[in-house]
Amino acid sequence: MAWSNKIKLNKQLQRSVAEAGYAAPTEIQQRIMPRIIGGQDVVAVGPEGAGKTTTYVLTVLNRFSYAPDGVPQVLILVPDQEAVEAVIEKFDLLNKNKSISIVGLYATPGMQDQLDALADGADIVVATPDRARAIYLKLGLNLNKIEVLIVDDADRIVKQGLQLPVAELANSITKAQHLVFTEVLHDKLSKMIDPFMRLPSVVEVEEIGEAQLNIHPQMLYHVPNFGTKLNLLNLFMQDDELFTKTVVFANTKQTAEHIYKNLQTAKNNPVGLYNPWTAGYQGFVSVDDFKNAGQIRILIVANENEEEIDLSGIPFLLHFDLPADKDTFLNRMVVRTAETGEETLSITFATDLELGLVKKIEQASGQKFPIGELPDYLVIVKEKKKTEEKPVLPKGDEPGAAFHEKKASNAKNYNYSSGQKAKMNMKKKHG
């Protein structure tokens, strides 16, 4: 579908997209741009490369069919300075109306230059939430005429703990269209945006290509927090008939030690550390030594260790934490031998804040991870409530209703093979 067929962009923008090499809109652009142009609040969920940034840059530029007056009409919130600069670069690529002024706000030593830039006139402001809030509190950012509030990479903003400045800025804007772009939608993100979204349209695009890698079978457990991860790990490891040999990956040495001590409290959880860094821990300098140690069933590996290790022949590979780099995860999961017999099963524990990386891994591997159902007897650790006061909504504004249904992929109703069922029901001894 050509840009001019169904998406009502002005002729100047149609020329811009053609010159930029965008022959036709992507799926997410086809589905949400007409809604945005129609004035609807939108939550767009899609992977990196789906065209989310181009979507809102085009719809924002499409609004300016006249000479702007230098007062911010659009506020775009992004996670960091790099994202601010990338968004402004996208505007520079597609914007032919040079009367539009775009100002970027992010943390730098001092803020006077940014205050001066706003004072000189800004029609579009691209900012990190904390910097925008700080300048707003100094009366340097005028929100009185904001018509569109955009939160981009919203899952990363939540991961960085910037929900409060987003909420305060949203509540300081009297009336606007709200657009949220994210790679994954989860409870923590919904909690941030629910109060200011108004009956939004939620559009999700999943672009999982063909499987490119031969990786071990996967199972994902979505858990609320670290404490629940520990409880789930303990439950699994109590079954010494099923979990005969398990390698557990943690992100840091401190977490690895914490898991080690926690598992040691159970009598049937003989556990060791890979390349122990302090005295007093049972440890192994090679995975082969762990395989040959009949009494030790669990080996904990810190993701800080950059050495590639041979994991062949281990029945269970369990990521308590996901490594920051998806390639580290995938390198561990690739099936490197033609061994016969029962396959290795990979288990991943992920909180809301790790679901974005899960999505990236799925896209890179070309495989959707089945979601395991949490055991009924799992103790869910309650998260401590923050003592921060909730921002006061402008009088007369009511929080929006919950606006999305749980996706089928999150409904935990997958039909597994009999082998997987037997494994995860812990009824079959691993031979």
Side-chain angles (χ1 to χ4, degrees):
M1 181 189 79
W3 288 94
S4 59
N5 288 355
K6 292 186 179 179
I7 298 176
K8 297 179 181 179
L9 295 179
N10 62 50
K11 291 183 179 179
Q12 189 178 62
L13 282 178
Q14 290 179 29
R15 288 194 298 270
S16 294
V17 293
E19 291 171 6
Y22 302 139
T26 64
E27 179 184 352
I28 201 167
Q29 289 161 354
Q30 292 180 45
R31 293 177 63 185
I32 70 172
M33 286 180 72
R35 306 178 196 220
I36 295 173
I37 292 172
Q40 188 174 6
D41 280 14
V42 171
V43 178
V45 186
E48 184 179 358
K52 299 189 295 296
T53 302
T54 302
T55 297
Y56 68 75
V57 167
L58 287 173
T59 53
V60 163
L61 292 174
N62 204 52
R63 302 177 68 92
F64 291 94
S65 57
Y66 56 89
D69 56 10
V71 178
Q73 295 181 39
V74 179
L75 174 61
I76 303 169
L77 301 177
V78 295
D80 51 34
Q81 177 180 344
E82 183 180 355
V84 171
E85 292 170 346
V87 171
I88 292 176
E89 183 179 348
K90 183 71 72 172
F91 272 106
D92 290 342
L93 174 67
L94 298 172
N95 178 31
K96 304 300 181 183
N97 183 354
K98 299 308 177 184
S99 64
I100 299 173
S101 176
I102 304 170
V103 172
L105 307 178
Y106 47 81
T108 58
M111 61 174 67
Q112 191 57 50
D113 288 346
Q114 294 175 0
L115 287 167
D116 291 344
L118 289 170
D120 289 341
D123 305 298
I124 301 168
V125 176
V126 186
T128 58
D130 47 352
R131 190 61 157 195
R133 175 180 179 269
I135 291 182
Y136 171 70
L137 293 176
K138 286 183 173 290
L139 305 181
L141 176 60
N142 184 355
L143 301 179
N144 292 335
K145 291 190 177 181
I146 293 293
E147 297 178 358
V148 184
L149 172 64
I150 299 170
V151 184
D152 192 13
D153 280 334
D155 52 324
R156 288 179 56 202
I157 287 175
V158 171
K159 193 171 184 178
Q160 293 175 358
L162 296 173
Q163 298 96 311
L164 184 60
V166 171
E168 290 184 349
L169 290 165
N171 290 327
S172 300
I173 296 170
T174 305
K175 186 178 180 181
Q177 181 184 22
H178 305 94
L179 309 176
V180 174
F181 296 83
T182 182
E183 289 192 17
V184 61
L185 185 59
H186 50 62
D187 289 344
K188 289 183 183 293
L189 174 53
S190 296
K191 186 176 179 181
M192 178 182 77
I193 65 177
D194 277 359
F196 59 80
M197 301 298 286
R198 297 294 178 264
L199 299 175
S201 174
V202 181
V203 177
E204 183 161 3
V205 172
E206 289 199 67
E207 296 181 358
I208 304 295
E210 294 183 4
Q212 301 295 320
L213 299 172
N214 180 22
I215 63 175
H216 296 301
Q218 304 291 317
M219 185 71 73
L220 174 68
Y221 287 87
H222 183 194
V223 293
N225 48 45
F226 180 89
T228 307
K229 280 186 179 183
L230 277 178
N231 290 344
L232 184 58
L233 180 62
N234 268 292
L235 278 178
F236 284 175
M237 294 304 104
Q238 284 173 15
D239 190 338
D240 55 355
E241 292 189 348
L242 175 64
F243 290 95
T244 54
K245 289 287 183 179
T246 303
V247 173
V248 178
F249 297 99
N251 267 349
T252 65
K253 293 177 179 178
Q254 290 77 12
T255 302
E257 289 179 356
H258 190 88
I259 295 170
Y260 180 98
K261 294 173 182 177
N262 187 273
L263 289 176
Q264 268 199 329
T265 59
K267 292 181 180 179
N268 64 336
N269 278 344
V271 58
L273 285 176
Y274 182 73
N275 280 337
W277 40 91
T278 55
Y281 294 97
Q282 172 73 48
F284 299 93
V285 295
S286 77
V287 178
D288 283 338
D289 290 343
F290 165 64
K291 293 176 185 177
N292 296 326
Q295 295 298 317
I296 308 299
R297 298 189 298 109
I298 307 162
L299 179 65
I300 304 171
V301 179
N303 285 330
E304 293 176 351
N305 177 73
E306 296 182 357
E307 174 191 355
E308 186 173 318
I309 57 179
D310 180 12
L311 298 167
S312 60
I314 302 292
F316 292 93
L317 303 177
L318 192 152
H319 279 86
F320 186 91
D321 294 320
L322 281 169
D325 182 5
K326 69 178 185 300
D327 291 334
T328 300
F329 180 95
L330 290 170
N331 286 337
R332 292 171 181 162
M333 294 301 106
V334 172
V335 180
R336 303 184 187 280
T337 63
E339 294 180 352
T340 58
E342 197 158 358
E343 294 179 302
T344 294
L345 178 65
S346 169
I347 300 172
T348 299
F349 295 171
T351 63
D352 281 354
L353 301 184
E354 293 170 299
L355 290 179
L357 183 54
V358 171
K359 289 282 188 182
K360 292 181 185 297
I361 293 170
E362 290 177 334
Q363 290 149 22
S365 67
Q367 298 184 36
K368 188 77 175 172
F369 290 3
I371 298 177
E373 187 170 355
L374 298 178
D376 293 336
Y377 42 90
L378 173 66
V379 176
I380 305 296
V381 177
K382 293 184 179 180
E383 297 186 73
K384 294 180 180 178
K385 293 183 179 180
K386 295 182 179 180
T387 57
E388 297 169 338
E389 293 184 3
K390 293 183 178 180
V392 178
L393 291 169
K395 189 174 181 181
D397 283 354
E398 298 297 334
F403 57 83
H404 68 278
E405 296 181 0
K406 184 174 286 189
K407 287 183 57 192
S409 60
N410 292 330
K412 301 178 182 175
N413 59 357
Y414 286 89
N415 292 319
Y416 302 122
S417 67
S418 59
Q420 283 180 311
K421 285 182 177 179
K423 279 186 176 182
M424 304 324 298
N425 286 332
M426 301 185 182
K427 292 179 181 177
K428 179 178 178 183
K429 183 175 180 180
H430 200 291

